[in-house]
Amino acid sequence: MLSRCVAAVLGGYALANALSVAAVAIFAVGFNGMARSDAVLVAMPLSFVVYTGAVMWAFAARSACAAWLGLGVPALLAGLGAWALL
């Protein structure tokens, strides 16, 4: 149970943060130079939805290992994608 709680808090935060940075990068680069301040204003509300979903995933997964993998792998991929775009 402790591992799921840590996965929900830390893994969910990492996933929400990585996806919001990736969304800012996509909005700023993909939409013909959208201002970064506008991209942040669009991406930040999405991070709250992602964090809520990540917490629910951490407790709905079959095992704690599946919860960690389900949060860690997408966070890593989103972080790498954001790093590549910025």
Side-chain angles (χ1 to χ4, degrees), residues 46-67:
L46 296 175
S47 70
F48 292 109
V49 174
V50 169
Y51 188 73
T52 303
V55 169
M56 291 189 318
W57 166 256
F59 290 102
R62 288 185 176 259
S63 66
C65 182

Side-chain angles (χ1 to χ4, degrees), residues 16 20 24 27 38-52:
S20 66
V24 168
F27 292 149
D38 292 337
V40 169
L41 289 175
V42 171
M44 283 307 295
L46 296 175
S47 70
F48 292 109
V49 174
V50 169
Y51 188 73
T52 303

